[in-house]
Every structure is written in structure tokens, then in C-alpha cells.
């Protein structure tokens, strides 16, 4: 037996074209019916496959490959150079590949092994693989059967704890470039495994639209177009990765402003095409919800998602990642829209939300009595246009009477009227559905009063409230990157003909 401490270090790396002449030599020494070099070539460009080599002193001494078939993985090849066997290289490659499978969120991994290769079967069993069946005559050329072996419940810590080696993973989680241009922020992110932000940029156009009191679609689209290329250069520079490191490109397909969406989608499609990587199509609303999983990656659905943005106000039963049921929504204005309109009435500039939030901090929420629309309706819908009108009427009345409005008091009263109803209904829905977690999202989730009040009231009901970090409440590509990872794990890709949809539903 060789003492392992004396052996040269083994480094695991992505397999590249330049490794193939060494790989093929091991392949021929290992298998009676070896793969051809062409097969390896095509597997290296297959977006659903991933191959790694083990190197010792810069020489390839073994390799392993995985093919992802939605949510499951299949080990397609696995070999160690005959001169380097019994040195633990096979164990290391297998530990590595299975650790990657766990980090990708795969639920099972299977493989085929020659019926007479008992040594390999013992190794697989030590990793928790079990025999699933026999493929008779599978290796026809040598007249041998294949034993199909598999390890299931990969996401169960009891299963993966026996081989999972976080330190082996290094940079192996998939790298996704996300492009978000649905409204008035041009944003890009490069993320690994949906959790690690390698680089991200948000270029806000707020100053461009302020003088119009709202987003002007044509101006937004033109600005996206001007910004995208310089931002991409900056992003790639910040991240210090090359184009060939990117495993997939994700674009927001909707909902949003159609000509703004088109710019980002076209850019993302071009990048995916040029780099030969799969394309992921995203729903902007799912991205907002997904933002919660950056600061709370261990949250597990089901949950009640409460989305409040400039365009949407919704209560969503999140049954699983990717499985949503909208149980209530606004019948007229969105919460953010109401904030922006009231902000405009008070000459606070655009967007009104952050300004109202700031001013309200010094106001009395009970100063002005305002209506709480639909607070007691039987469904989970909201209405905000009546409240907006009540604020306008109040301002006009006071002006007529020559009374100066106390702006902080009005801001605080308006906020309280909006959020009293939002919070009460959400808690009622959580109770009815038996949900213990509420996930806030959308630009309005940045609101100070909302975050404080929500936690207090939810606690009384035994419900936990989560919110994304402030910077990820308003539009950004990082949140889209989290949702992109969920789709990547499912291998849920789109083709280049996929159209943007300004009214896309969850
Ligand atoms: O999610 P978002 O960035 O864009 C949409 O997808 O709509 O949300 C923007 C909205 C705006 O209406 C803005 O006024 C509101 O979020 N908002 C706020 C706050 N910060 C942003 N509303 C209340 N309080 C805030 N602190
Ligand atoms: Zn948004």
C-alpha cells in the first residue's frame, strides 16, 4: 500500500479540448468499448453535460462526467489511469461529482457499471448507491450486462453528508449571467449557484424620468440600449471571468414595458448564441420573490409571498420554487403606484415611495383619518384608488380653508392606511392557508414602516416575515439570477424565438 501523504496533489478541473488526447488514452486502457474522441468532443459542448479531469503534476490521471436529465444526474463516464489506481483518485472524483450534483439541486444520480466489475460496485455502494436493475446485454460487444445503480434523496443531508465535500467544490457551481431591463433600471449580474454574487451592476434611470413624473417607455428603452454594452464590459471586468466560464444566460421576458424588455432579451439572446450556452426566460415577479433567498437561502416553501411594486400588488401562495397561485391582488392601483401618485400630489418628485417613507418617519400616523378600503372584504383583493382620491380631496379641502398641510403627518397617515390593510389581509391569508412564512418583495418592501409593523403584527400570529436586503427590493438582476438558478436546476431553457410578454402572468 502506498502512503497517501507521499502522493502528489490531485487537482480537479473542468475537462477542456486540450485534455482529450490524454483522456482518450486512459479511456482506451480502461474500457473494452471505449468512447471515441468525437463523442468526447460533442459531450464537451453539450449544455446538459459537465466533465472534469483529475490532474496530478499537470497530467490527466482520471475523469468523470455527469449528464443532467431534468432534476436527475447520470454519470456518463468515469475512469482512472491504470498506473494511478488505488491512490484514492476515483473516490475523489466521485466525491467531487456528487458534491456538484448536490450543489446543483439534483435529487438523484444514476450510473451503469459492468456486472463483473465488482470493485467499482463496492466503491459505489460505499457512497450510498443501490442496485436499481439490470440491463441485459448492454455491453453487447463484450457480451456483458450492465447493473444500473443509483443514489436517491440527494438533497437529504443524511444522504449527502457521507460524501459532500464543500471544499472540493471551489468554483464549480454554475455561472449564470442575468440581464434585467423590464422598467427603468438596466441591471446585470453574474452569479454562481443562485447564491453567490460574483458581480452585479444596477444603472438607474430615475433622473431621466423625474421631470415627466413617471417612466417614459421610449426613453427607457433607448437608455437601456446605450447602457448595456458598457455595463457588460464593466461587469466582466469586475468579475474577472471570461465568456467561456458562463454556463447560461437569463433574460427577463415580462411583465414590464415591452420595448424595454426587448432590449435586454435581445442582448441576452445574442450573448447566449455567441457563447453556445442555454438561454433561460424569466418572470420579473418571480425574480422579486426570489430576492428573499439571497439573504435567507435556507428558506423552504411553502410560503405566502407578498409582492408590492410599482406595477403589482399581490398575495401569492408559493407552493414551491416555480409553483405559484395568486390568491389576491389589487383591483386598481398598485401600492407603489399609489405612493408615486400621492408623492406627486405633495410635489415630492418621482418616485414618491422613498420620499414618503423618509418624511413619514417624523409624522403622526393618526393625524389624518383616511379610509382603509376592502379591509374587511371576504377575498384577498385590495383597492387603493379610493385612498388616493381621499388624499387628493383632503389636500384640496385644506388648501381652500387656507390650512397648511403637515406633510410628514399626511405621509405617515397615508402609509398607515395602506399598510394596515396590506398586513391584515396577508396575515389572514397566511392563517387560512396554514403558512408560517411571509416573504415580502418588490420596491415597496424597502419601506421602513412596513418592515417594522409587519414583524410586530406577524409575531403576534406566530408568523415569520422575511424581506430581501434593501438594495434587492427594487429592480435588480441579482434577484433574477436566483430565479434563473431554479430554472437551471430544472434544465428549463427557452429557444431564441421566445417572445417578451409585457403582461406575463406568474
Ligand atoms: O419593484 P420596483 O423597483 O419596480 C417595479 O417593478 O415596479 O418598485 C418600484 C416602486 C415605486 O413605485 C417606488 O415608489 C416604490 O417601489 N418604493 C417605495 C419605497 N422604495 C421604493 N415605496 C414605499 N417606500 C419605499 N421606501
Ligand atoms: Zn420590479
Amino acid at each position: 500500500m502506498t502512503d497517501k501523504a507521499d502522493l502528489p496533489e490531485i487537482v480537479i478541473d473542468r475537462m477542456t479540448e486540450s485534455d482529450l488526447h490524454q483522456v482518450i488514452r486512459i479511456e482506451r486502457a480502461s474500457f473494452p468499448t471505449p468512447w471515441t474522441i468525437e463523442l468526447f468532443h460533442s459531450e464537451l459542448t453539450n449544455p446538459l453535460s459537465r466533465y472534469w479531469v483529475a490532474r496530478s503534476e499537470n497530467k490527466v490521471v482520471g475523469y468523470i462526467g455527469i449528464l443532467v436529465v431534468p432534476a436527475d444526474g447520470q454519470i456518463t463516464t468515469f475512469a482512472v489511469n491504470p498506473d494511478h489506481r488505488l491512490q484514492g483518485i476515483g473516490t475523489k472524483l466521485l466525491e467531487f461529482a456528487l458534491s456538484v450534483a448536490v450543489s446543483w439541486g439534483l435529487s438523484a444520480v444514476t450510473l451503469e457499471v459492468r456486472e463483473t466489475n465488482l470493485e467499482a460496485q463496492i466503491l459505489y455502494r460505499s457512497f450510498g448507491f443501490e442496485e436499481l436493475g439490470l440491463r441485459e446485454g448492454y455491453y453487447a460487444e463484450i457480451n456483458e450486462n450492465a447493473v444500473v445503480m443509483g443514489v436517491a434523496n440527494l438533497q437529504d443531508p443524511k444522504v449527502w453528508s457521507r460524501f459532500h465535500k464543500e471544499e472540493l467544490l471551489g468554483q464549480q457551481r454554475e455561472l449564470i449571467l442575468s440581464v434585467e431591463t423590464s422598467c427603468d433600471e438596466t441591471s446585470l449580474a453574474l452569479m454562481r449557484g443562485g447564491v453567490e454574487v460574483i458581480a452585479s451592476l444596477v444603472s438607474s434611470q430615475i433622473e431621466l424620468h423625474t421631470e415627466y413624473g413617471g417612466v417614459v417607455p421610449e426613453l427607457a428603452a433607448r437608455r437601456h440600449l446605450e447602457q448595456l454594452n458598457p455595463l457588460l464590459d464593466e461587469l466582466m471586468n469586475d468579475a474577472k471571468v471570461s465568456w467561456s466560464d458562463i454556463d447560461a444566460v437569463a433574460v427577463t421576458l415580462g411583465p414590464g414595458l415591452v420595448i424595454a424588455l426587448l432590449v435586454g432579451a435581445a442582448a441576452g439572446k445574442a450573448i447566449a448564441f455567441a457563447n453556445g450556452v442555454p438561454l433561460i426566460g424569466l418572470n420579473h415577479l418571480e425574480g422579486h420573490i426570489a430576492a428573499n433567498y439571497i439573504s435567507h437561502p435556507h428558506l423552504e416553501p411553502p410560503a405566502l409571498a407578498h409582492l408590492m411594486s410599482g406595477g403589482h400588488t399581490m398575495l401569492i401562495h408559493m407552493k414551491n420554487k416555480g409553483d405559484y397561485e395568486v390568491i389576491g391582488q389589487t383591483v386598481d392601483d398598485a401600492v407603489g403606484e399609489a405612493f408615486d401618485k400621492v408623492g406627486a400630489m405633495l410635489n415630492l418628485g418621482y418616485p414618491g415611495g422613498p420620499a414618503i417613507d423618509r418624511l413619514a418617519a417624523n409624522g403622526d400616523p393618526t393625524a389624518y383619518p383616511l379610509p382603509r378600503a376592502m379591509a374587511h372584504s371576504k377575498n384577498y383583493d385590495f383597492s387603493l384608488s379610493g385612498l388616493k382620491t381621499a388624499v387628493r380631496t383632503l389636500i384640496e379641502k385644506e388648501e381652500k380653508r387656507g390650512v397648511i398641510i403637515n406633510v410628514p403627518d399626511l405621509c405617515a397617515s397615508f402609509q398607515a392606511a395602506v399598510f394596515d390593510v396590506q398586513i391584515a389581509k396577508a396575515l389572514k391569508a397566511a392563517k387560512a392557508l396554514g403558512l408560517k412564512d411571509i416573504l415580502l418583495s418588490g420596491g415597496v418592501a424597502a419601506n421602513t414602516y412596513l418592515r417594522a409593523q409587519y414583524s410586530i403584527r406577524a409575531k403576534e400570529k406566530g408568523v415569520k416575515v422575511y424581506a430581501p436586503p434593501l438594495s434587492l427590493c427594487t429592480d435588480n438582476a441579482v434577484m433574477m439570477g436566483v430565479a434563473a438558478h431554479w430554472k437551471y436546476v430544472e434544465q428549463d431553457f427557452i429557444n431564441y424565438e421566445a417572445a417578451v410578454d409585457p403582461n406575463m402572468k406568474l
Side-chain angles (χ1 to χ4, degrees):
M1 233 7 229
T2 336
D3 183 355
K4 285 191 183 151
D6 296 339
L7 294 170
E9 202 198 346
I10 299 295
V11 179
I12 297 180
D13 238 345
R14 281 278 284 277
M15 186 188 287
T16 65
E17 293 282 332
S18 58
D19 294 319
L20 287 187
H21 61 283
Q22 296 184 68
V23 165
I24 216 74
R25 234 178 284 141
I26 300 174
E27 178 80 10
R28 288 185 186 139
S30 304
F31 300 110
T33 50
W35 279 15
T36 60
I37 197 150
E38 289 74 28
L39 186 50
F40 274 104
H41 268 301
S42 78
E43 275 297 273
L44 283 188
T45 53
N46 178 351
L48 302 186
S49 298
R50 191 56 77 71
Y51 288 79
W52 299 274
V53 292
R55 282 186 224 283
S56 166
E57 296 173 323
N58 280 326
K59 255 182 55 196
V60 175
V61 292
Y63 51 88
I64 195 162
I66 289 194
L67 170 73
V68 177
V69 265
D72 287 346
Q74 205 177 320
I75 302 229
T76 50
T77 186
F78 177 27
V80 176
N81 190 336
D83 301 342
H84 291 79
R85 297 212 176 132
L86 299 175
Q87 296 176 7
I89 295 169
T91 303
K92 199 159 185 177
L93 275 167
L94 198 55
E95 274 173 355
F96 176 84
L98 291 174
S99 298
V100 172
V102 171
S103 78
W104 282 349
L106 302 188
S107 53
V109 166
T110 58
L111 52 77
E112 281 122 7
V113 53
R114 277 189 295 129
E115 196 176 11
T116 56
N117 190 351
L118 298 179
E119 207 183 314
Q121 290 170 33
I122 290 169
L123 174 68
Y124 298 142
R125 273 183 217 290
S126 74
F127 277 78
F129 279 81
E130 285 170 12
E131 196 172 321
L132 301 178
L134 200 69
R135 296 223 165 106
E136 288 194 26
Y138 184 77
Y139 302 102
E141 298 86 342
I142 50 167
N143 193 22
E144 258 223 60
N145 302 330
V147 180
V148 181
M149 299 184 80
V151 51
N153 303 325
L154 264 191
Q155 295 304 316
D156 179 348
K158 282 203 280 301
V159 174
W160 54 251
S161 57
R162 61 168 105 178
F163 56 76
H164 189 73
K165 298 266 157 67
E166 190 67 42
E167 69 273 14
L168 278 179
L169 280 175
Q171 300 281 295
Q172 295 301 325
R173 285 173 295 198
E174 94 284 349
L175 183 66
I176 299 185
L177 168 68
S178 306
V179 182
E180 154 65 44
T181 63
S182 65
C183 191
D184 59 347
E185 339 275 346
T186 320
S187 184
L188 298 170
L190 270 167
M191 292 176 66
R192 278 198 193 280
V195 286
E196 190 189 346
V197 183
I198 305 297
S200 88
L201 293 169
V202 181
S203 165
S204 174
Q205 313 178 347
I206 283 181
E207 93 299 337
L208 180 69
H209 303 287
T210 303
E211 65 173 297
Y212 305 98
V215 180
V216 184
E218 290 77 7
L219 294 181
R222 188 191 301 166
R223 181 60 69 88
H224 286 313
L225 201 55
E226 290 163 1
Q227 289 288 308
L228 265 176
N229 276 334
L231 283 177
L232 260 176
D233 286 343
E234 193 182 337
L235 185 86
M236 296 302 283
N237 253 328
D238 288 356
K240 299 192 176 42
V241 298
S242 64
W243 291 107
S244 63
D245 294 328
I246 293 175
D247 296 299
V249 178
V251 294
T252 306
L253 291 179
L257 304 169
V258 68
I259 57 171
L261 289 162
L262 275 170
V263 177
K269 286 175 183 180
I271 298 167
F273 181 74
N275 292 285
V277 296
L279 185 66
I280 297 170
L282 297 173
N283 183 310
H284 181 77
L285 305 180
E286 182 174 29
H288 272 301
I289 298 170
N292 280 285
Y293 289 79
I294 278 284
S295 41
H296 308 288
H298 301 296
L299 274 174
E300 279 301 333
L304 182 73
H306 192 171
L307 172 67
M308 288 171 278
S309 69
H312 295 86
T313 296
M314 291 176 163
L315 288 174
I316 300 148
H317 182 186
M318 179 181 189
K319 297 170 187 174
N320 221 323
K321 291 170 181 171
D323 184 3
Y324 311 96
E325 186 188 343
V326 178
I327 57 165
Q329 56 191 317
T330 178
V331 298
D332 39 53
D333 293 351
V335 173
E337 190 181 351
F339 269 80
D340 295 340
K341 286 177 177 166
V342 168
M345 292 175 208
L346 296 169
N347 297 317
L348 301 178
Y350 172 84
I356 292 178
D357 186 354
R358 260 190 317 274
L359 287 161
N362 300 313
D364 171 6
T366 61
Y368 294 99
L370 289 168
R372 271 120 175 103
M374 296 180 79
H376 302 292
S377 69
K378 289 236 155 48
N379 56 23
Y380 299 116
D381 288 339
F382 305 100
S383 167
L384 287 124
S385 74
L387 172 60
K388 177 189 66 187
T389 311
V391 172
R392 176 170 296 127
T393 314
L394 189 146
I395 296 172
E396 284 167 5
K397 248 201 218 144
E398 296 294 77
E399 267 172 7
K400 249 186 224 147
R401 285 175 45 208
V403 179
I404 294 170
I405 290 275
N406 181 320
V407 175
D409 281 354
L410 183 55
C411 288
S413 303
F414 165 72
Q415 267 194 179
V418 173
F419 293 137
D420 273 354
V421 182
Q422 292 290 321
I423 296 172
K425 283 211 155 167
L427 290 174
K428 201 166 112 187
K431 187 173 175 207
L433 294 166
L435 300 170
K436 291 279 162 232
D437 293 333
I438 296 183
L439 313 183
L440 301 187
S441 64
V444 181
N447 187 277
T448 325
Y449 174 89
L450 173 78
R451 287 165 93 109
Q453 283 296 311
Y454 224 134
S455 300
I456 297 168
R457 293 192 209 174
K459 208 169 178 185
E460 293 161 4
K461 306 270 183 220
V463 172
K464 278 202 175 123
V465 179
Y466 299 87
L470 287 183
S471 62
L472 299 185
C473 286
T474 43
D475 291 350
N476 64 87
V478 167
M479 67 187 198
M480 304 314 295
V482 179
H485 170 70
W486 298 347
K487 293 215 184 259
Y488 186 87
V489 168
E490 297 290 328
Q491 301 286 297
D492 183 354
F493 302 132
I494 56 169
N495 57 34
Y496 299 116
E497 287 87 63
V500 299
D501 176 1
N503 303 312
M504 196 174 191
K505 300 276 175 286
L506 247 188

